Amino acid sequence: MSKTKNHILKLLFENRNDYLSGQKISDEIGCSRTAVWKHIKELENEGYSIASVHKRGYKLIDAPDQLSEARIRAGLETERLGHRLVCKDELPSTQKEAQHLAEDGAEEGTVVLAEEQTSGRGRLGRQWHSPKGAGIWMSLIIRPDIQINKAPQFTLLTAAAVVKAVKRATGLDCEIKWPNDILYKGKKFVGILTECQAEAADVKAIIIGIGINVNTDIEDFPDELKDIATSLRIEAGKTFDRAEIIQAILKEIESLYKMYMDEGFHFIKLLWESYAISLGKKIYARKTNGDVIYGLAQGIDDEGVLLLRDDDGHIHKIYSADIELSSQ
Amino acid sequence: MSKTKNHILKLLFENRNDYLSGQKISDEIGCSRTAVWKHIKELENEGYSIASVHKRGYKLIDAPDQLSEARIRAGLETERLGHRLVCKDELPSTQKEAQHLAEDGAEEGTVVLAEEQTSGRGRLGRQWHSPKGAGIWMSLIIRPDIQINKAPQFTLLTAAAVVKAVKRATGLDCEIKWPNDILYKGKKFVGILTECQAEAADVKAIIIGIGINVNTDIEDFPDELKDIATSLRIEAGKTFDRAEIIQAILKEIESLYKMYMDEGFHFIKLLWESYAISLGKKIYARKTNGDVIYGLAQGIDDEGVLLLRDDDGHIHKIYSADIELSSQ
């Protein structure tokens, strides 16, 4: 999309509740009113519904539910994150695409989005169901100047940012299940996968994958997920604008990332703990090797490791596991 | 190269000092003596020099100095490392190729080799001079089941393995300069670059890049390297068989890797320290941000971090730096 058309779209989005005069647009952009009119016509052809009223101007009525670069850029309030957007109709996996881009030197803040993932994946190589247009399937590249042992902290940072962003964009209060699931009333609707590329002890890139069931209907889920998964639309009974949620997420990640680099992990940890459901409860932790440890989830340490106190008082450090709340 | 021809070549290499009868080869391989003869002719066409003596058989006189899969496989004594070999005439960088392969699921032990790298790189994105046929430019993929904070230990493991392998294949005693250079009489001839792909706290792959100046001549080096770099040929005054060195390296890495997984980092650390030149000496450490710290190199910790004691007795943990021995 041309830069001018992009800019017009951004103005229309920012003034969705008002009519915006052609003169005002042309002054702001620095082009003729005829040019403005031509761009408006083009936007209409692309699926945007724009009211045009004599002597009042233009007003955006409806936007196509498509994650175009222009749509996300219009209303994006970040300084760096999302300033390069790679939007695709279909990708095997946004995460893999972002990994390749990161290796080839893509700058910090690059975001990869797909309407549909044909082999979306979650933690531990698990499949992630990513039907077309129903959710947000995105991967973000950041390049913090940190040591490799700190990288897992970005899983927690991201989870806290997504909870904040969902609250801001939808009003819904959700919770974090260690390490990387976000639940609403006990059902999962967000998965987070952070991957790291490092050279010796230095982090070169962290690729943050976020999958969110936004407008998924219950019948869209495979049978085995129907009882444990949900979407924002199922919970709130209405359709959400995915672009607004993406904008909110990038904004919140940017803000926590800045806080992290300035002040360290401490505040992120406090914030994360305030959203975590499992802390202070008895849980089962099933490790990747199949071992199950039962105990009290005491907290996380400064590297994001879950600390589990078993009945003998022994503290287990849980780096990677699936956890389940005990009914006890 | 066909599997049978590969096998014949392997037998010839293993019996380099003797004549091997056509009958023995055909029995071992399970093909006719005529088929053996045909394969021998093919090998000769590919540049192998093979003596054929009536009633005695075949003997390998000389092999082309080319890093073919067959050449490396013949004499490779590892259980897993190097069992998939990707040999190319030219690559921008073996490390980048291996990274992409690792992301696409390449199995542990996959090795990428190139006769020439057009944009070979070392630590911190620095260029690595890799002229055609003169050295070993290789990258190895391993997939240890470890946590991310342990990954930097593999830089040290690799350095120790390469010192052992060079000793075994060439008889030369060399030394390690923290973190990843290998020197002979103070001049660098090996660079090691370990990169890691991780998911949250779990390592998915470590890609070990090794660059060795084997048969480089002094005039092959750019001017700025002539005083600080060397090659095995320059030092020993003779040409070395690169395939043998590669085989020795894979063997030594495999052996230390097994020890590491069975017994932990302790023995690797002791071995590494026994080869390190800088320990116990006064050094300057120039960090990537430009800061220089001067002090006594006390040792490394269990994560491979260099411990530097300054004149006030304060211990600095050095994660990433260039070090220089002080003349004091």
Side-chain angles (χ1 to χ4, degrees):
Chain A
M1 192 178 280
S2 79
K3 215 168 165 185
T4 312
K5 195 159 67 182
N6 238 332
H7 198 159
I8 293 173
L9 189 57
K10 191 162 183 280
L11 290 176
L12 288 171
F13 265 107
E14 285 167 1
N15 296 276
R16 276 187 99 151
N17 301 320
D18 283 311
Y19 280 86
L20 198 61
S21 76
Q23 188 60 51
K24 211 165 170 183
I25 298 175
S26 89
D27 287 350
E28 180 107 9
I29 311 266
C31 67
S32 71
R33 289 185 59 173
T34 317
V36 171
W37 179 84
K38 274 176 71 181
H39 285 303
I40 294 280
K41 287 293 143 202
E42 279 178 37
L43 287 169
E44 286 179 339
N45 286 338
E46 286 163 24
Y48 290 86
S49 166
I50 297 165
S52 156
V53 175
H54 185 59
K55 294 206 172 158
R56 293 181 71 187
Y58 303 105
K59 182 179 166 182
L60 183 66
I61 305 295
D62 205 8
D65 184 30
Q66 181 144 29
L67 294 177
S68 66
E69 197 183 327
R71 174 65 195 93
I72 294 163
R73 215 176 280 291
L76 186 63
E77 292 169 14
T78 57
E79 278 171 31
R80 299 177 73 179
L81 304 192
H83 284 227
R84 180 179 171 199
L85 288 159
V86 178
C87 299
K88 303 277 187 187
D89 278 343
E90 185 185 296
L91 277 176
S93 148
T94 59
Q95 195 70 357
K96 203 163 214 174
E97 181 76 10
Q99 277 184 330
H100 285 284
L101 289 173
E103 260 155 26
D104 293 341
E107 72 260 46
E108 167 156 288
T110 300
V111 170
V112 179
L113 284 155
E115 289 288 344
E116 181 177 12
Q117 293 186 111
T118 51
S119 38
R121 58 199 174 87
R123 201 163 55 100
L124 308 173
R126 291 167 186 161
Q127 206 193 331
W128 178 268
H129 183 64
S130 341
K132 188 173 175 100
I136 294 168
W137 327 125
M138 72 186 273
S139 295
L140 163 69
I141 298 169
I142 58 170
R143 298 189 178 277
D145 183 13
I146 58 169
Q147 295 299 309
I148 197 171
N149 58 327
K150 306 287 184 198
Q153 297 176 337
F154 277 81
T155 305
L156 307 184
L157 184 154
T158 304
V162 171
V163 171
K164 287 186 79 191
V166 169
K167 172 76 178 176
R168 189 150 79 98
T170 72
L172 297 177
D173 284 300
C174 49
E175 298 168 313
I176 301 171
K177 182 178 161 202
W178 182 89
N180 68 351
D181 292 347
I182 297 182
L183 315 183
Y184 183 79
K185 292 186 179 162
K187 289 184 171 182
K188 176 169 172 174
F189 74 101
V190 178
I192 292 164
L193 177 68
T194 50
E195 295 180 293
C196 171
Q197 294 172 355
E199 181 183 309
D202 300 325
V203 167
K204 284 164 61 190
I206 294 178
I207 297 110
I208 299 174
I210 302 173
I212 308 185
N213 304 328
V214 179
N215 298 321
T216 329
D217 290 316
I218 190 74
E219 55 267 30
D220 293 338
F221 288 114
D223 283 345
E224 68 275 19
L225 295 182
K226 283 192 165 70
D227 289 338
I228 53 172
T230 192
S231 77
L232 291 170
R233 175 150 80 191
I234 293 168
E235 297 303 328
K238 64 175 189 172
T239 300
F240 291 97
D241 182 343
R242 293 177 297 158
E244 276 176 22
I245 298 173
I246 292 167
Q247 289 160 351
I249 288 171
L250 293 175
K251 178 76 179 164
E252 295 293 348
I253 292 179
E254 186 167 275
S255 140
L256 293 188
Y257 177 19
K258 188 169 185 318
M259 181 190 281
Y260 176 90
M261 295 309 288
D262 290 346
E263 325 241 357
F265 185 52
H266 183 66
F267 290 106
I268 308 295
K269 182 177 153 179
L270 288 177
L271 189 63
W272 186 90
E273 286 176 340
S274 75
Y275 295 138
I277 38 172
S278 39
L279 296 189
K281 295 189 182 146
K282 291 276 195 156
I283 64 166
Y284 293 97
R286 181 180 302 274
K287 292 164 57 169
T288 38
N289 65 4
D291 289 357
V292 176
I293 302 174
Y294 174 72
L296 181 78
Q298 278 216 308
I300 51 170
D301 73 6
D302 279 347
E303 294 188 354
V305 173
L306 182 66
L307 303 172
L308 199 60
R309 195 179 69 211
D310 67 20
D311 288 346
D312 298 331
H314 182 72
I315 305 285
H316 298 262
K317 284 183 144 197
I318 311 290
Y319 288 88
S320 182
D322 289 314
I323 67 168
E324 203 181 300
L325 292 179
S326 159
S327 47
Q328 282 196 282
Chain B
M1 196 177 278
S2 81
K3 215 169 165 181
T4 311
K5 196 161 62 181
N6 238 331
H7 198 159
I8 293 173
L9 189 57
K10 191 162 184 284
L11 290 175
L12 289 172
F13 266 106
E14 284 166 2
N15 296 275
R16 277 187 99 151
N17 301 320
D18 283 311
Y19 280 85
L20 199 61
S21 77
Q23 188 60 51
K24 210 165 170 184
I25 297 177
S26 89
D27 288 349
E28 178 107 12
I29 310 266
C31 68
S32 72
R33 288 185 57 174
T34 317
V36 170
W37 179 83
K38 274 176 69 182
H39 284 303
I40 295 279
K41 287 293 143 204
E42 279 179 36
L43 286 169
E44 286 179 338
N45 286 337
E46 288 164 22
Y48 290 87
S49 165
I50 298 165
S52 156
V53 176
H54 185 59
K55 293 208 171 157
R56 294 182 69 187
Y58 303 105
K59 181 179 166 181
L60 183 65
I61 305 295
D62 203 10
D65 184 30
Q66 179 144 34
L67 295 176
S68 67
E69 196 182 329
R71 176 64 196 92
I72 294 164
R73 216 177 279 293
L76 185 63
E77 292 169 13
T78 57
E79 280 173 30
R80 299 178 72 181
L81 304 193
H83 284 226
R84 180 179 170 201
L85 287 160
V86 178
C87 299
K88 303 277 186 187
D89 278 342
E90 183 186 298
L91 277 176
S93 147
T94 59
Q95 195 70 356
K96 203 163 215 173
E97 181 77 11
Q99 277 184 330
H100 285 284
L101 289 172
E103 259 154 28
D104 294 343
E107 73 261 44
E108 168 156 287
T110 300
V111 169
V112 179
L113 283 156
E115 289 288 344
E116 180 177 11
Q117 293 186 108
T118 50
S119 38
R121 59 200 172 88
R123 200 163 56 99
L124 308 174
R126 290 166 188 162
Q127 207 193 332
W128 178 269
H129 183 63
S130 341
K132 188 172 176 98
I136 294 168
W137 327 125
M138 71 185 275
S139 294
L140 163 69
I141 298 170
I142 58 170
R143 297 189 179 276
D145 183 13
I146 57 168
Q147 297 299 311
I148 197 171
N149 57 329
K150 307 286 185 200
Q153 295 176 339
F154 277 80
T155 304
L156 307 184
L157 184 153
T158 304
V162 171
V163 171
K164 288 186 80 193
V166 168
K167 172 76 177 174
R168 191 149 78 98
T170 71
L172 297 177
D173 285 301
C174 48
E175 299 169 311
I176 301 171
K177 182 179 158 199
W178 183 91
N180 69 350
D181 292 348
I182 298 182
L183 315 185
Y184 183 79
K185 294 188 179 162
K187 288 185 172 183
K188 176 168 172 176
F189 73 102
V190 178
I192 292 165
L193 176 69
T194 50
E195 296 181 291
C196 169
Q197 294 172 355
E199 181 184 307
D202 300 326
V203 167
K204 285 165 61 191
I206 293 178
I207 297 109
I208 298 174
I210 302 173
I212 308 185
N213 303 329
V214 180
N215 297 321
T216 327
D217 290 315
I218 190 73
E219 54 268 29
D220 293 339
F221 288 115
D223 283 343
E224 67 274 19
L225 295 183
K226 282 191 165 71
D227 289 338
I228 53 172
T230 191
S231 77
L232 291 170
R233 176 150 80 191
I234 293 168
E235 297 302 328
K238 63 175 190 173
T239 299
F240 291 96
D241 183 343
R242 292 177 298 157
E244 276 176 24
I245 299 174
I246 292 168
Q247 289 159 353
I249 288 172
L250 293 174
K251 178 78 179 162
E252 295 294 348
I253 292 179
E254 186 167 276
S255 143
L256 293 189
Y257 177 19
K258 189 170 184 316
M259 181 190 280
Y260 177 90
M261 294 311 288
D262 291 346
E263 326 243 357
F265 185 53
H266 183 65
F267 291 105
I268 307 295
K269 182 178 151 177
L270 288 178
L271 189 62
W272 185 91
E273 286 175 340
S274 75
Y275 295 138
I277 37 169
S278 38
L279 297 188
K281 296 191 182 141
K282 292 274 195 154
I283 64 167
Y284 293 96
R286 181 180 301 275
K287 294 166 53 171
T288 38
N289 66 5
D291 289 356
V292 177
I293 302 174
Y294 174 72
L296 181 78
Q298 279 218 307
I300 52 170
D301 73 6
D302 279 348
E303 295 188 352
V305 173
L306 182 66
L307 303 172
L308 198 59
R309 195 180 69 209
D310 66 20
D311 288 345
D312 298 332
H314 182 72
I315 305 284
H316 298 262
K317 287 183 142 197
I318 310 291
Y319 289 88
S320 181
D322 289 314
I323 67 168
E324 203 178 302
L325 292 179
S326 160
S327 46
Q328 284 194 282

